[in-house]
Amino acid sequence: MTADSIQSIREGLLRKEFSAVEVAREALVFAERENPKTNAFLLFSAERAVANAERVDARIAAGEEPGLLAGVPVAVKDVILTKGLRTTCGSRILEHYVPPYDATVVERIEAAGGLIIGKTNCDEFAMGSSNENSAFGPVRNPAAPDRVPGGSSGGSAAAVAQKTAVISLGSDTGGSIRQPASFCGVVGVTPTYGRVSRYGLVAFASSLDHIGPFARSVRDAATLLEAMAGRDPLDSTSADAPVPNYAAHLDGHVRGMKIGVPISYMRHALGETYELIDKAIRRLKGLGCELREISLPATDYAVAAYYIICTAEASSNLARFDGARYGLRSAASATLSDMYHNTRGEGFGPEVKRRIMLGTYVLSHGYYDAYYKKAQKVRALITRDFTNAFQSVDAIVAPVSPFPVFRIGEKVDDPMAMYLSDIYTITGSLAGIPCMSVPCGTTNEGLPVGLQILCNHFHEQQMFRLADAFERR
Amino acid sequence: MKLSEEQVRYVAKLANLNLTQAEIDRMVQDLGSVLEHMDSLAAIDTEGVEPMTQVLYQTEETATLRPDVERAPLANEAALANAPAAGSGYFKVPKVIER
C-alpha cells in the first residue's frame, strides 16, 4: 500500500483517493499473506476492522471530522482486551478466552477512527525479553528471520517493521516496548506512568505496567499516544493531566537542549552498539544540543530491585488464573485445591512459573523486609537519581540493550543472563518516567539498533521533539 | 541465597502451583542463581529512605477520586460466558463440603 502513515492515509481519505474499507481490506490481505514469515499476528479481525472502516467512510461522506486515526490499520498486543475477540496473553491458560469488554485504549483508538486488524503475539503474560516465551511459537525478526524480535511486545514491533500494520500497541513493564522497537528498527514509546489508562490490560506488575505505541515515525507514535492518553475513571492510576497535541510541536528546534549522557551506561554497551550510540550522541551535538555527563549510581542495583518488585506483583496478579471463572480448568481434579494446583501447573509456561515462584518467595514470611521492602527503597533511590539529573538536563540518552538482536534459542537457557540484559530499560520503568527507542542505525550485519531517550514525568512533548529532530537529521 | 528442594516445594504450595520433579529440579537451580544476584541489594545503604510503593508526581491528593455514580455492571451471562463450568447463574467448582 502506498499510503503507509497516519497522515498519508488521512489525506487520501479526505481527497477520496481511496476509502477506509479499501484500506482495511488491502491491509488484511497483505498482513495475512506476510504473517507466516514472522508469526507476529495470532488473530485477524477482518469483520471488526471493516465495520469500523464503514463508520469512518460514513463520517467522511457526511462531512464530519473522521478522527485522529481515521482509516489507520492498528495491531494490538494480545494482553489488551478486545470485546468478542479472543485474547490469549500468549498463554495456554487463556487459549480460548473471549473478553466481555474492551480495554479503554481499544475504545479510544476506534473512536478516533482506527481500524484494529488483529492481535499480536507476545511473551506469555508479557514476561520475557525475546518473545520466545509465547505458547503459540516465537516471532521472527523481520530484519533477520533466525533472530528474535525482542520482547515482550515482539509481535507488535515486528508487525510495524514488516509493514503489516501502520501502528500498533504494546505494553511495557521493564522494557517490553523499547527493546523490541530497538531490535526491529521502529519507534517505541513508554509514556509516563499514569499517562495512558490500563483498564483492560491484563495486569503483570501493576506499579510498573504501561501501554504505549509502536510506529515507523516519531510523528505517528506521537499521534497514537495523543489519541489514547488522558484520564479514565475506570483506572484510578490514570493521571488527570491535559493531553497536549504532541504531533503539532515537532518543529526540529532542539538547539540548546541539554542532554545528559550516563557515562556508566556507555561503559557496558558492547562493540557495535557502543559505536552506534556514540555516533548518535555526536549527531545530537551536531543538532545544537549541549551534552553533559551525568551519573545514575543506583543503576547497579536496578536489575535486582526490578525483578523483586515485578515478580512479587506478578505472583499476586496471576493468582486470578485458578480455573474457576475463565480460562483453562484441569480436567482431572477431584477437589478445589487440586483444581487450582493442576490448572496452574498445566496452564502456565516455564518463565511464568519461575516468576510466580520468585514473587511468592520474596513476599513470604521472613523474607519480605530483606527483599520486597529493600527493593522498594532502592526504587526510591533510582527515582532520586533521575530527579537529580533532570535538575540540570532536559533529556537523557542511553542504549536500549547492551547488545544487538540475538538468535532464537541463543539465551533461552539462562534466565539470569536474560534479566541482566534489561538493565538500560528498567531504570526508567522503575522511576515511571517517559522513555522511548528511536532507530539510530544498523550493525554491519544489518541488525537494527535503537537510541533510548528519557525525559522527566509528563515531558513527552520534549522527548518527541528531540526524537523527531534526530530522526530527520 | 540457595534454595533447597524442600523450600521450592513449600513455595510452590503457597503459590497453588503443581510442579513436576523435573520442574522442581530446574527451579532449585534457576531461583538459586537469581536470588544470589538479588542478595547484592544488601550492599546498598538505604538508611532513612522511604520505600517507594507507587510512582509519584506533582498532583493534588484528590486527583484520582471519581464521582460516586452508578455504572451498569457486567451482565451475569457475559460474566459467566468464559466459565469452564456454570449453572443457575453461578460458577461451578468441585465440591468442597461432603454431605
Side-chain angles (χ1 to χ4, degrees):
Chain A
M1 195 164 79
T2 45
D4 65 352
S5 69
I6 294 175
Q7 180 71 18
S8 62
I9 291 172
R10 182 185 176 86
E11 283 168 5
L13 290 174
L14 294 178
R15 283 197 214 112
K16 311 273 160 72
E17 286 165 16
F18 45 77
S19 70
V21 169
E22 283 167 344
V23 174
R25 290 198 198 284
E26 197 182 328
L28 280 154
V29 167
F30 181 71
E32 290 188 40
R33 193 183 73 212
E34 294 295 306
N35 194 50
K37 292 178 187 167
T38 59
N39 195 27
F41 281 90
L42 293 175
L43 179 85
F44 291 104
S45 47
E47 210 176 301
R48 181 163 175 160
V50 170
N52 280 308
E54 283 168 353
R55 273 190 280 277
V56 171
D57 287 334
R59 272 189 234 161
I60 291 172
E64 293 166 19
E65 163 55 41
L68 214 47
L69 304 175
V72 178
V74 187
V76 175
K77 185 179 182 182
D78 214 20
V79 292
I80 297 171
L81 301 189
T82 40
K83 186 176 180 175
L85 279 184
R86 193 190 65 198
T87 300
T88 66
C89 296
S91 181
R92 287 276 168 232
I93 213 163
L94 288 179
E95 191 171 359
H96 306 292
Y97 178 67
V98 180
Y101 62 94
D102 278 323
T104 296
V105 288
V106 166
E107 273 182 9
R108 289 187 180 176
I109 283 170
E110 292 188 333
L115 315 176
I116 290 172
I117 58 165
K119 303 296 293 287
T120 54
N121 205 343
C122 55
D123 283 302
E124 185 176 5
F125 288 105
M127 297 179 188
S129 312
S130 68
N131 217 118
E132 291 164 292
N133 299 333
S134 167
F136 308 108
V139 174
R140 297 181 176 278
N141 192 311
D146 61 329
R147 293 178 189 255
V148 304
S152 66
S153 313
S156 286
V160 168
Q162 203 186 0
K163 300 196 174 187
T164 49
V166 173
I167 49 178
S168 66
L169 287 187
S171 69
D172 191 315
T173 303
S176 284
I177 290 176
R178 287 159 283 161
Q179 188 251 26
S182 169
F183 282 4
C184 290
V186 298
V187 175
V189 180
T190 311
T192 304
Y193 184 83
R195 181 70 289 188
V196 174
S197 165
R198 296 155 326 150
Y199 180 71
L201 169 69
V202 176
F204 159 15
S206 306
S207 79
L208 293 157
D209 291 341
H210 304 68
I211 292 175
F214 286 100
R216 286 189 294 271
S217 69
V218 174
R219 179 169 294 273
D220 278 3
T223 305
L224 174 54
L225 180 62
E226 185 182 334
M228 61 182 177
R231 173 79 180 145
D232 174 15
L234 299 177
D235 176 1
S236 64
T237 62
S238 68
D240 194 8
V243 180
N245 181 342
Y246 295 119
H249 296 89
L250 305 178
D251 52 16
H253 288 305
V254 294
R255 187 160 294 282
M257 199 184 262
K258 294 190 264 313
I259 310 286
V261 182
I263 293 307
S264 63
Y265 281 40
M266 292 302 292
R267 219 177 291 138
H268 295 115
L270 301 171
E272 282 191 273
T273 299
Y274 176 86
E275 286 163 30
L276 286 164
I277 299 295
D278 188 54
K279 206 167 113 191
I281 292 171
R282 277 185 275 129
R283 208 182 287 142
L284 289 174
K285 196 175 178 191
L287 291 170
C289 297
E290 290 173 28
L291 303 182
R292 294 190 183 177
E293 286 188 15
I294 59 162
S295 140
L296 302 168
T299 297
D300 292 345
Y301 301 92
V303 171
Y306 172 79
Y307 276 96
I308 289 169
I309 293 170
C310 85
T311 57
E313 294 183 13
S315 72
S316 307
N317 276 325
L318 270 62
R320 73 193 64 186
F321 301 103
D322 56 10
R325 289 149 299 160
Y326 36 65
L328 179 80
R329 175 183 293 186
S330 172
S333 300
T335 69
L336 190 62
S337 173
D338 280 354
M339 182 187 92
Y340 295 154
H341 282 81
N342 295 339
T343 297
R344 293 160 63 77
E346 289 165 28
F348 290 135
E351 180 61 26
V352 172
K353 285 180 182 168
R354 196 149 45 222
R355 295 201 191 188
I356 289 174
M357 290 289 289
L358 267 172
T360 305
Y361 178 74
V362 298
L363 289 177
S364 65
H365 184 71
Y367 296 102
Y368 176 87
D369 281 349
Y371 290 112
Y372 190 66
K373 203 166 172 192
K374 181 77 178 184
Q376 286 187 312
K377 290 180 176 183
V378 173
R379 184 176 186 180
L381 292 179
I382 288 165
T383 304
R384 192 190 290 170
D385 280 355
F386 280 112
T387 309
N388 290 341
F390 286 125
Q391 280 172 0
S392 59
V393 299
D394 302 308
I396 295 170
V397 293
V400 174
S401 166
F403 38 70
V405 200
F406 46 91
R407 288 192 173 77
I408 293 174
E410 193 178 326
K411 294 188 193 294
V412 80
D413 283 329
D414 188 351
M416 195 58 228
M418 196 79 102
Y419 295 172
L420 286 170
S421 73
D422 296 340
I423 178 68
Y424 300 129
T425 49
I426 58 185
T427 48
S429 305
L430 287 164
I433 55 175
C435 0
M436 67 186 288
S437 175
V438 59
C440 72
T442 54
T443 65
N444 291 331
E445 279 183 277
L447 306 175
V449 171
L451 172 73
Q452 188 177 198
I453 303 176
L454 308 92
C455 283
N456 212 346
H457 291 127
F458 295 102
H459 286 210
E460 278 86 355
Q461 208 158 310
Q462 202 164 26
M463 181 173 82
F464 286 139
R465 178 181 286 168
L466 181 62
D468 169 71
F470 176 76
E471 182 182 66
R472 288 196 240 168
R473 62 220 175 217
Chain B
M1 171 119 190
K2 288 281 175 202
L3 280 190
S4 66
E5 184 178 323
E6 194 188 339
Q7 279 174 302
V8 168
R9 286 184 191 279
Y10 170 69
V11 175
K13 201 176 145 198
L14 288 179
N16 279 345
L17 193 57
N18 199 14
L19 298 177
T20 63
Q21 185 59 47
E23 286 177 320
I24 289 172
D25 294 344
R26 185 74 207 261
M27 279 300 170
V28 170
Q29 180 193 325
D30 288 347
L31 299 190
S33 75
V34 175
L35 286 169
E36 211 168 301
H37 178 83
M38 286 175 174
D39 288 335
S40 68
L41 285 190
I44 186 170
D45 181 9
T46 52
E47 189 65 38
V49 179
E50 278 295 305
M52 180 174 160
T53 52
Q54 58 183 26
V55 177
L56 296 174
Y57 34 77
Q58 288 292 314
T59 183
E60 288 170 44
E61 274 179 34
T62 56
T64 56
L65 299 180
R66 59 167 172 76
D68 185 18
V69 288
E70 274 181 59
R71 184 172 166 267
L74 207 56
N76 184 272
E77 220 169 88
L80 291 173
N82 282 283
S88 312
Y90 294 97
F91 297 103
K92 286 168 87 171
V93 294
K95 225 191 291 187
V96 281
I97 301 166
E98 292 296 331
R99 278 177 206 265

